[in-house]
Amino acid sequence: MTVKRKLYGLVALGIFIAALVASVAVYGVASMSRASHSIFDNALLVNKNVSTLVVLFEQSRSLVRSVSSDSNTQAVEKAFAAFDAIDQKLADTSIDVFRSITNEGVREVVTSFIASLDRSRQVSQDIFKAWLQGDKASAAILSNVDETRNEAAMRESLATLTAFVDRLAADDLAALERTQRVTIMVAVAVAAVMPFLIYLAFLVARQIALPIASLTFAARDVERRKFEPVSIEHVAVQRNELGSLARVFQKMAVDVQRRQEELEAEVEARTHDLAAKNELLEKSQHRMETELDIARSLQGAMLPQRMPKHPSYSGRAIMRPARELGGDFYDFFIIGEDEIGLVIADVSGKGVPAAFFMAISRTVLQASARERRSAGECLAETNSILCEQNPLEMFVTVFYGILNLRTGVLQYANGGHNPPVVVKDDGEVTQLPQTGGMAMGIMAGLTYQEGSVTLSAGDTLFLYTDGISEAMDGEGHEFTVDRLLASLSESHRQSLDIVVSNVTDAVSDFVGDAPQHDDMTYLVVRYKGPPVAPMAVAAGRDGAELAQPV
């Protein structure tokens, strides 16, 4: 027999027993309920209403007997009024009795009783009518003959009703006793069969539970990777659903363990391969970082580290790249005996490409400047060369100025760069006028207009890139040129080291922890007036002032 059939058989047996017990219980409850309802409904209702009718009838009889031949008309009328009210209550109560009784036997007996009551009421009314009409002889006859006869009929009807109710209660009590006997017999039968059913259920449950427990332990062994197919062989040999399940489980568990072993071997191989590749990546990253450090050092070495010492000027320079390598650069170099070239530039883009383009731009610009060309001619020639050697189509903004140390005249040209700031010795802060030039490397054959300004002794020239004015805080607000000019308002009274420190601190306080995406570079030169002796200075000589590429 299959497990399904065993379960179905047990369920069917349980349903049959439950139905049998339920039927007996329902039958007993219904019988007891009917008996109880019959007893209480009929007994209480009949007794209550009949008692009420009897009381009202006795009251009406008392009123009838209160009238005699000695009673005057006023006393008769008063007694009749009271009688009429009680008689109306008798009629209403009789109607309520008929409406509430549902048992036909009770209804027939009560009907006979009420009919006798109605006849007695009629006789009483006839007696009062005779008294009111002054017919005392007829009233006396009715009182002595008919009333006596009707009272006897009433007594007989009441006795019949009482006997019927008693017999009805006895029948109901007998039915209740029979129901109790049947209920006891059913309970005894159920109690006798229950141990057998429990034992049968235990056997079936044991036959089902043991194989399931074996499969549960086997599943746990699979999870622990200790499963042996022979452990559930005693279940697999069964020719039922549990046996089929065990055979499928055996095959599945073996496949799972094999696949898990294959997967672990593959994961181990992949892990080893990944570790080797990670090692290569780490080596490559280390090599790249080393090369970037070297490139950063080389880029810093390309920029002039010291400004030539001279009594007519002093200077400071700082470059802070946004990445490992920057695209900004500054430059200063001596041209002839009385002039010095000042350069500030910003290459488009960042990183290695910008650094290479910066090196090319600086080399070409410095080579053109050393040929003693004017600022505009120098930028024009540099632009033409960069346009010919610009495969990445990059560009660079440049400010180039030539400062005459004897006269203080600054002759300059601007290729799309931020105009430098001049701080006068008296504290006035202004920007150099623009000359309208375009960034270099975009279009060949451009010309660059020149401008000039005369510096007085104590004037300070501040050259910078847009990484300062466009530095952003955490909310995306820019530092702006106005804030830069405000930070330079006291520069005429401060040393160049303090000027550089003030600008750096102002930008850092504004930016906070927000990451920056552009290089920050500036070159500061203070003109001290014409030299008092011929210039004899060599670049890099001891005592030269320091520039600070960062």
Side-chain angles (χ1 to χ4, degrees):
M1 180 182 291
T2 63
V3 174
K4 184 184 296 185
R5 291 181 179 177
K6 292 178 181 178
L7 291 176
Y8 283 172
L10 184 61
V11 171
L13 180 61
I15 292 174
F16 173 75
I17 294 174
L20 178 61
V21 173
S23 299
V24 173
V26 170
Y27 173 79
V29 171
S31 298
M32 288 186 290
S33 177
R34 285 195 301 271
S36 299
H37 286 168
S38 177
I39 292 172
F40 289 105
D41 287 349
N42 288 277
L44 291 179
L45 184 61
V46 170
N47 289 334
K48 176 182 177 181
N49 291 301
V50 169
S51 298
T52 301
L53 292 175
V54 170
V55 169
L56 292 173
F57 177 74
E58 292 295 335
Q59 292 177 353
S60 65
R61 282 178 54 76
S62 297
L63 291 172
V64 173
R65 292 170 182 170
S66 66
V67 179
S68 64
S69 59
D70 298 332
S71 299
N72 56 31
T73 305
Q74 185 177 4
V76 173
E77 291 178 350
K78 183 176 180 181
F80 179 72
F83 170 81
D84 189 59
I86 294 175
D87 189 65
Q88 185 62 41
K89 289 184 180 180
L90 278 171
D92 295 339
T93 303
S94 300
I95 295 173
D96 292 338
V97 169
F98 279 108
R99 289 178 178 175
S100 59
I101 295 176
T102 57
N103 188 290
E104 291 299 328
V106 174
R107 182 183 293 275
E108 291 178 3
V109 178
V110 171
T111 301
S112 176
F113 172 75
I114 291 177
S116 299
L117 181 63
D118 288 343
R119 287 194 296 272
S120 178
R121 288 172 52 230
Q122 186 61 44
V123 171
S124 297
Q125 290 177 356
D126 292 341
I127 293 172
F128 270 107
K129 290 179 181 179
W131 284 118
L132 290 173
Q133 292 173 1
D135 190 356
K136 296 183 178 181
S138 298
I141 294 172
L142 290 173
S143 298
N144 294 329
V145 179
D146 291 346
E147 185 178 0
T148 302
R149 185 174 58 251
N150 288 334
E151 182 177 359
M154 278 286 299
R155 301 290 183 187
E156 182 180 358
S157 297
L158 182 60
T160 302
L161 177 61
T162 302
F164 179 81
V165 171
D166 292 340
R167 185 175 66 257
L168 185 64
D171 294 341
D172 290 338
L173 183 59
L176 181 61
E177 291 177 352
R178 287 194 301 272
T179 301
Q180 290 177 344
R181 287 195 297 273
V182 172
T183 303
I184 293 173
M185 293 175 60
V186 171
V188 172
V190 170
V193 174
M194 191 58 65
F196 172 74
L197 295 178
I198 294 174
Y199 179 71
L200 179 62
F202 173 77
L203 292 180
V204 174
R206 179 181 176 84
Q207 189 173 0
I208 297 174
L210 288 180
I212 293 177
S214 299
L215 291 175
T216 303
F217 294 144
R220 184 187 60 187
D221 292 341
V222 170
E223 182 180 3
R224 297 177 179 177
R225 302 182 61 187
K226 297 180 180 180
F227 174 71
E228 295 293 339
V230 70
S231 63
I232 57 172
E233 187 64 31
H234 64 285
V235 182
V237 297
Q238 295 183 13
R239 311 309 299 178
N240 53 28
E241 289 83 349
L242 291 175
S244 299
L245 177 61
R247 290 190 291 275
V248 172
F249 183 86
Q250 280 180 325
K251 184 177 182 303
M252 180 188 67
V254 171
D255 292 342
V256 168
Q257 290 190 156
R258 178 176 55 80
R259 288 294 300 165
Q260 190 171 7
E261 293 173 356
E262 293 176 353
L263 182 60
E264 289 180 352
E266 185 176 356
V267 169
E268 183 178 358
R270 294 287 180 85
T271 302
H272 180 73
D273 184 50
L274 183 60
K277 290 181 179 179
N278 286 339
E279 184 178 358
L280 291 176
L281 287 175
E282 290 177 358
K283 291 180 179 179
S284 177
Q285 183 178 3
H286 179 71
R287 183 174 65 254
M288 183 168 53
E289 290 177 352
T290 302
E291 292 175 354
L292 286 175
D293 290 338
I294 295 173
R296 184 166 51 248
S297 299
L298 289 176
Q299 185 182 36
M302 290 174 58
L303 300 178
Q305 304 301 304
R306 300 175 185 273
M307 294 189 71
K309 186 176 181 181
H310 195 280
S312 295
Y313 68 85
S314 61
R316 296 290 185 273
I318 288 181
M319 185 187 75
R320 183 180 298 170
R323 295 186 183 177
E324 291 80 2
L325 298 175
D328 289 1
F329 69 91
Y330 62 86
D331 202 359
F332 44 81
F333 41 83
I334 295 175
I335 305 172
E337 297 181 356
D338 301 327
E339 295 178 334
I340 184 171
L342 303 174
V343 180
I344 190 79
D346 185 359
V347 176
S348 63
K350 303 292 179 292
V352 175
F356 274 106
F357 197 71
M358 178 271 283
I360 296 172
S361 302
R362 177 177 178 272
T363 301
V364 174
L365 179 60
Q366 190 176 108
S368 178
R370 291 191 182 280
E371 295 182 3
R372 307 297 299 274
R373 292 185 174 87
S374 67
E377 292 173 347
C378 183
L379 293 189
E381 182 178 4
T382 301
N383 176 61
S384 297
I385 296 173
L386 291 179
C387 287
E388 294 174 358
Q389 302 176 8
N390 190 9
L392 297 180
E393 297 183 352
M394 303 182 74
F395 61 88
V396 57
T397 62
V398 179
F399 175 88
Y400 173 46
I402 302 173
L403 177 61
N404 189 304
L405 301 178
R406 290 190 178 277
T407 63
V409 174
L410 177 67
Q411 182 256 340
Y412 64 91
N414 195 330
H417 198 77
N418 307 78
V421 179
V422 177
V423 183
K424 294 292 186 178
D425 185 51
D426 61 0
E428 181 184 1
V429 181
T430 60
Q431 291 180 281
L432 289 180
Q434 287 280 21
T435 57
M438 183 182 292
M440 297 188 301
I442 298 176
M443 182 184 300
L446 297 177
T447 58
Y448 291 85
Q449 300 296 323
E450 297 178 358
S452 64
V453 65
T454 300
L455 300 180
S456 302
D459 291 350
T460 302
L461 184 66
F462 188 87
L463 296 81
Y464 66 98
T465 61
D466 59 7
I468 295 177
S469 60
E470 296 178 0
M472 293 185 180
D473 62 8
E475 297 180 356
H477 301 138
E478 293 185 353
F479 184 69
T480 71
V481 175
D482 292 337
R483 288 190 175 90
L484 174 61
L485 297 179
S487 66
L488 294 172
S489 61
E490 299 295 326
S491 299
H492 61 292
R493 301 176 181 175
Q494 301 166 341
S495 66
L496 293 187
D497 290 332
I498 296 178
V499 172
V500 170
S501 178
N502 287 344
V503 174
T504 303
D505 292 344
V507 174
S508 298
D509 293 342
F510 177 80
V511 168
D513 297 331
Q516 298 305 301
H517 305 286
D518 202 356
D519 305 332
M520 297 184 186
T521 304
Y522 41 93
L523 171 63
V524 188
V525 178
R526 176 167 291 167
Y527 180 62
K528 299 180 179 180
V532 296
M535 182 175 63
V537 181
R541 202 171 85 182
D542 292 342
E545 298 188 6
L546 178 63
Q548 305 174 29
V550 177

